[in-house]
Amino acid sequence: MGLGTLLFGWPLMPVYAVVKLGELLRDQVERELHDPAVVRRRLEEVEQARAAGRISEEEEERAVEEILQGMVGW
């Protein structure tokens, strides 16, 4: 890092940090949306909720569709 960058860039460091944090959060969300284990667990939770009678068949279908759409990025 040069002296010019240090002198003129330091006021923008908080902005760079926020941008970097946003990128890290985006990457984590994308990993979780596309992780087969997470998707499987969410589908199992929906199935268990249906079996326990907490949601209707239509709600189950909607939830499964949302989970699968999130996985493939539609």
Side-chain angles (χ1 to χ4, degrees), residues 13-69:
M13 289 298 165
V15 174
Y16 295 141
V18 169
V19 169
K20 185 64 175 173
L21 179 60
E23 291 172 351
L24 291 172
L25 289 172
R26 180 197 63 216
D27 293 344
Q28 180 65 27
V29 167
E30 287 179 1
R31 272 194 299 274
E32 287 187 17
L33 283 175
H34 298 357
D35 182 10
V38 173
V39 172
R40 185 178 322 116
R41 184 171 52 247
R42 290 178 64 201
L43 289 170
E44 288 171 355
E45 289 171 358
V46 169
E47 183 180 344
Q48 290 171 355
R50 175 68 180 125
R54 293 190 308 258
I55 62 174
S56 68
E57 185 176 342
E58 294 81 23
E59 290 171 323
E60 177 187 24
E61 290 174 8
R62 249 192 330 261
V64 168
E65 185 67 26
E66 288 175 10
I67 292 168
L68 295 177
Q69 284 180 356

